[in-house]
Amino acid sequence: MCGINGIVGFSNLQDASAKLILMNQTLQHRGPDDNGTWFSNECVLGQQRLSIIDLSSAGHQPMLSNDERYVIVFNGEIYNFLEVKNKLQNEYQFKTKTDTEVILAAFIKWGKKCVDELNGMFAFAIWDKQTSELFIARDRMGVKPLYYVFENNTLAFSSEIRPLLKAGFAPKKIDYNSLIDYLQYQTVHAPNTILQNVKMLMPGCQLHFKNKTITTEQYWDINSKINTNLSADKSYNEICSDVNKLFTNAVESRLVADVPFGAFLSGGIDSSAVVGVMSKISNHKVKTFTITFDESEFSEAKYAATVAEKFNTEHHEIKLTPKDFLHEIPNALKAMDHPSGDGPNTYIVSKATKNAGVTMALSGIGGDELFAGYDVFKRSLSLQKNNWVTSLPSFVKEATAQLMMKFKPGVASNKFNYLLNLSNWNIKNTFPYARTVMLNHQLNFILAKPQTNFENKVFNQLKNIPELKNYSLSSVSVAEITTYMQNVLLRDTDQMSMAHALEIREPFLDYKLVEYVLSVNDKHKFPVTPKKLFVDAMDDLLPSDIVNRKKMGFTLPWKHWMTNELKSFCEERIISLAKREYFNEKNLLDFWNQFLQNHPSVTWSRIWYLVVLENWLQQHEVE
């Protein structure tokens, strides 16, 4: 796990070298164990290393091939690198025990198709000195980030945006369309970022640079991975057995490390299953970490303790008070590479985990998205079933909307009002409202220039989503994975954990498990009980009180903090944001006051991400 940087297509080597060194320094938090640079007249590469596999100096990067034709920088982990290495033993003379060298050998053997052999989380770049060509690839699920700027025939790339800003490649100007996207969804969906000209390489994609031009190509597309024949002839018990085997293999492959490791434990189904399988496989006590609160309604401590006791883990409770959080807020926001409505919770638990001597931890991210754990799965099926509502006369729809807003005002009623205006309640149309933070009428209220229609990136993202009969839950899974999970959860997890040089691994995102579960018929996954298929597949691994407890989610008591300890912090930034050219100052301040007055349509999440945005813009001096 590391941070990587590179520049190609420049005209001044001295200038490019100085910029690369600055970029490396900006990424030092991601890889404090080692750093390296490599320079040529056409390409410069840099890396900050966090040693996980082969801790010796043999793992130093940038790494050259035996014939010194190829140079690689790599961020991530290849979980099946030993299998790939065995295939190449007669093809390449290995000098290290690293997965980095395996990628290099695989590229020499298979070229761009080397990615088909790799199972892991990765972003890597390989320079071919002979052909003056750069090859970049990103993992299938988008766990590891890769940002780039291509301008004036020069390509600069990095694991984070901040090095591109520091080195002057990224303009300090906000992209207006990306601002709208952020206001709608508390994030900016790849390939765009909040900044003009800064792009993100999409998951499952490759980028080629040659002759001062770039091309991108998709080598793995989740939209094509619903294979209705994969489990069609299998019984439910056989499917459960397959899921158990695939999940167990995913956990086991992620325990390969030469450093101490642990797991995040919330006491929910997903993290409990990860810990349970880890405990069965590992020869040592698993270290587990959970956040606890004085506010009992937010604390999952008792559930986590139940799991820790069952699996005899070395359990660590991280008690959090408003005072503690207030102290950490500046640090968490400083660690934020890209503005987001989420993240500080991961920052805090990552810090405590690292302080306990752990360098790598497993997480339950992806379980809800894959096994229909969110309410949006049931809701989407219900909307499809009741599609007849869309054909009702307009006056009936309008009367229904008015009644809802009168007797149950709030976010849900606002969204339902928008749904009533749709012509079809298929997943492509309804899902975009599931994660919407701010609806169009709210945007028009706070923006300086109201619009009749706003581009919606999630609608665009779902154009190619499959909608197959009896596989609607898989379609929702694809929608969740390609929007909220990849652009919020994974991005936040990476930036907040790597702020402490802590590597996070996600077994639920093993692409073989993902492809299989997406290909399972709805009748086996329908969420009658929470994540029924996965729970059944785990046999009696999980305690019944964990399986049947009310889902809480990993959240913090934001509303209380924002109206008390964090009130002045938030208010200062809202006032400052309101003065920017894109916003209607009076209306945005009214929006803030509505929150303070407990307006049902202005919840804490619709304020906090505005606070974060202004803080990030100030921190990076972005116009």
Side-chain angles (χ1 to χ4, degrees):
M1 184 66 68
C2 312
I4 61 174
N5 298 299
I7 311 168
V8 291
F10 51 81
S11 57
N12 186 316
L13 176 59
Q14 184 176 359
D15 179 57
S17 300
K19 289 185 174 183
L20 183 80
I21 292 171
L22 178 60
M23 292 166 75
N24 259 20
Q25 291 172 348
T26 309
L27 283 187
Q28 190 172 9
H29 57 279
R30 294 184 70 96
D33 297 331
D34 188 22
N35 70 84
T37 54
W38 180 86
F39 305 106
S40 76
N41 288 327
E42 297 176 279
C43 173
V44 295
L45 299 172
Q47 194 243 23
Q48 291 287 152
R49 185 186 181 200
L50 174 63
S51 304
I52 302 290
I53 295 175
D54 190 349
L55 309 186
S56 72
S57 59
H60 178 79
Q61 295 184 41
M63 182 181 290
L64 275 70
S65 59
N66 289 336
D67 61 3
E68 298 191 353
R69 173 178 170 177
Y70 302 96
V71 192
I72 185 174
V73 285
F74 163 50
N75 170 32
E77 302 291 346
I78 306 301
Y79 303 125
N80 68 332
F81 80 100
L82 291 177
E83 298 170 28
V84 179
K85 188 174 185 178
N86 286 335
K87 293 182 181 180
L88 298 167
Q89 288 289 3
N90 298 326
E91 308 281 343
Y92 190 88
Q93 185 177 355
F94 290 94
K95 297 179 180 179
T96 77
K97 297 179 180 179
T98 66
D99 49 355
T100 306
E101 191 178 22
V102 172
I103 299 174
L104 199 53
F107 181 77
I108 293 171
K109 171 69 175 177
W110 295 301
K112 68 179 183 180
K113 290 191 175 296
C114 68
V115 291
D116 296 334
E117 302 288 331
L118 307 178
N119 186 355
M121 53 178 183
F122 55 82
F124 64 84
I126 298 176
W127 174 252
D128 184 343
K129 293 195 285 183
Q130 182 173 305
T131 63
S132 298
E133 182 176 4
L134 185 73
F135 173 80
I136 300 176
R138 189 174 177 214
D139 67 75
R140 297 168 180 83
M141 299 303 296
V143 179
K144 291 291 101 185
L146 196 289
Y147 298 94
Y148 67 94
V149 175
F150 181 63
E151 198 169 26
N152 299 324
N153 300 323
T154 298
L155 172 69
F157 67 88
S158 179
S159 296
E160 294 186 2
I161 290 177
R162 286 173 292 186
L164 297 172
L165 274 167
K166 286 277 188 179
F169 289 109
K172 293 187 175 184
K173 293 184 178 180
I174 200 168
D175 182 272
Y176 182 72
N177 289 329
S178 293
L179 171 64
I180 299 301
D181 193 19
Y182 181 84
L183 294 176
Q184 288 172 318
Y185 289 104
Q186 71 174 337
T187 190
V188 178
H189 292 85
N192 299 318
T193 70
I194 197 69
L195 295 175
Q196 293 178 16
N197 300 337
V198 181
K199 300 296 182 182
M200 194 176 198
L201 185 62
M202 292 291 284
C205 283
Q206 304 166 343
L207 184 150
H208 301 82
F209 174 94
K210 190 173 185 179
N211 297 329
K212 297 189 182 298
T213 61
I214 63 170
T215 57
T216 58
E217 178 183 357
Q218 189 166 20
Y219 68 87
W220 188 88
D221 181 10
I222 193 172
N223 289 299
S224 66
K225 297 306 176 183
I226 300 178
N227 180 357
T228 57
N229 297 319
L230 191 61
S231 61
D233 297 327
K234 292 189 176 184
S235 68
Y236 184 66
N237 287 338
E238 288 174 320
I239 292 171
C240 287
S241 178
D242 289 344
V243 170
N244 186 303
K245 183 178 179 180
L246 286 165
F247 181 71
T248 300
N249 289 343
V251 173
E252 185 173 17
S253 67
R254 282 159 178 76
L255 297 184
V256 177
D258 297 325
V259 294
F261 57 81
F264 294 158
L265 178 60
S266 69
I269 290 172
D270 303 331
S271 63
S272 299
V274 170
V275 170
V277 174
M278 287 176 71
S279 300
K280 290 174 66 174
I281 295 171
S282 178
N283 295 323
H284 307 285
K285 270 192 173 186
V286 175
K287 294 182 178 181
T288 52
F289 302 85
T290 189
I291 284 181
T292 67
F293 302 104
D294 286 335
E295 297 90 341
S296 59
E297 64 180 301
F298 297 101
S299 182
E300 299 181 290
K302 65 178 182 179
Y303 302 110
T306 297
V307 176
E309 183 178 0
K310 176 178 173 64
F311 298 115
N312 192 30
T313 72
E314 182 183 319
H315 193 50
H316 301 260
E317 291 190 354
I318 306 160
K319 190 171 184 180
L320 188 64
T321 67
K323 184 178 179 181
D324 297 329
F325 190 79
L326 188 63
H327 177 73
E328 288 292 349
I329 272 269
N331 296 325
L333 293 180
K334 186 177 180 181
M336 193 169 282
D337 183 54
H338 189 283
S340 169
D342 206 352
N345 43 7
T346 305
Y347 178 91
I348 293 167
V349 73
S350 295
K351 180 178 180 179
T353 303
K354 184 70 174 185
N355 289 343
V358 169
T359 304
M360 183 271 284
L362 269 65
S363 165
I365 287 178
D368 285 316
E369 290 81 0
L370 200 53
F371 290 98
Y374 294 131
D375 288 341
V376 67
F377 286 88
K378 275 189 175 181
R379 192 162 58 244
S380 294
L381 293 186
S382 177
L383 287 169
Q384 283 186 319
K385 184 179 179 180
N386 293 288
N387 192 55
W388 57 269
V389 173
T390 60
S391 61
L392 289 173
S394 297
F395 74 89
V396 175
K397 295 180 184 179
E398 291 173 7
T400 302
Q402 289 173 5
L403 285 172
M404 286 193 68
M405 290 305 299
K406 180 178 179 180
F407 292 105
K408 196 177 180 181
V411 175
S413 293
N414 274 332
K415 290 187 177 182
F416 189 71
N417 188 18
Y418 276 77
L419 291 176
L420 285 173
N421 291 313
L422 296 176
S423 60
N424 190 310
W425 277 357
N426 58 22
I427 292 170
K428 292 179 182 179
N429 283 338
T430 61
F431 180 85
Y433 291 101
R435 295 287 183 183
T436 305
V437 179
M438 198 172 290
L439 294 163
N440 287 0
H441 73 279
Q442 293 173 313
L443 289 176
N444 276 328
F445 181 69
I446 68 168
L447 289 173
K449 296 179 180 179
Q451 298 177 214
T452 55
N453 193 27
F454 293 96
E455 181 184 7
N456 189 297
K457 297 297 175 63
V458 173
F459 273 109
N460 294 339
Q461 180 75 32
L462 301 186
K463 284 181 179 177
N464 297 321
I465 195 173
E467 291 200 75
L468 305 175
K469 185 178 180 181
N470 300 322
Y471 289 84
S472 292
L473 292 175
S474 294
S475 295
V476 179
S477 286
V478 172
E480 275 289 335
I481 288 169
T482 57
T483 57
Y484 179 71
M485 192 193 80
Q486 289 179 344
N487 294 282
V488 178
L489 291 183
L490 290 180
R491 182 185 287 172
D492 290 347
T493 297
D494 177 80
Q495 60 187 359
M496 291 305 182
S497 61
M498 290 307 292
H500 304 288
L502 174 71
E503 175 178 302
I504 305 296
R505 298 180 178 181
E506 297 94 353
F508 283 101
L509 299 186
D510 188 286
Y511 82 92
K512 293 181 179 179
L513 176 64
V514 170
E515 290 182 357
Y516 186 88
V517 177
L518 289 180
S519 301
V520 174
N521 193 294
D522 284 350
K523 66 182 180 182
H524 298 309
K525 293 192 293 186
F526 186 77
V528 177
T529 57
K531 284 172 275 198
K532 182 181 186 301
L533 172 60
F534 181 67
V535 171
D536 290 347
M538 291 296 100
D539 296 322
D540 59 350
L541 181 73
L542 301 172
S544 59
D545 52 344
I546 298 300
V547 172
N548 298 315
R549 76 178 182 87
K550 183 179 178 181
K551 185 177 178 65
M552 294 175 66
F554 189 53
T555 187
L556 299 170
W558 285 100
K559 182 180 178 182
H560 172 79
W561 288 340
M562 290 171 64
T563 53
N564 292 277
E565 291 86 357
L566 296 177
K567 182 180 178 182
S568 60
F569 178 88
C570 294
E571 192 162 70
E572 288 170 7
R573 283 150 183 80
I574 291 294
I575 291 172
S576 179
L577 183 66
K579 295 181 182 300
R580 292 185 181 265
E581 63 174 310
Y582 292 135
F583 292 93
N584 181 311
E585 182 176 2
K586 177 184 180 300
N587 288 356
L588 183 52
L589 295 180
D590 285 346
F591 197 67
W592 163 249
N593 287 324
Q594 288 173 20
F595 165 70
L596 295 178
Q597 294 162 13
N598 230 10
H599 192 287
S601 294
V602 189
T603 59
W604 70 265
S605 61
R606 286 155 180 80
I607 293 295
W608 175 249
Y609 81 129
L610 300 177
V611 173
V612 171
L613 174 63
E614 176 58 24
N615 191 83
W616 192 89
L617 294 175
Q618 288 182 16
Q619 183 176 320
H620 298 289
E621 300 176 342
V622 174
E623 296 177 15

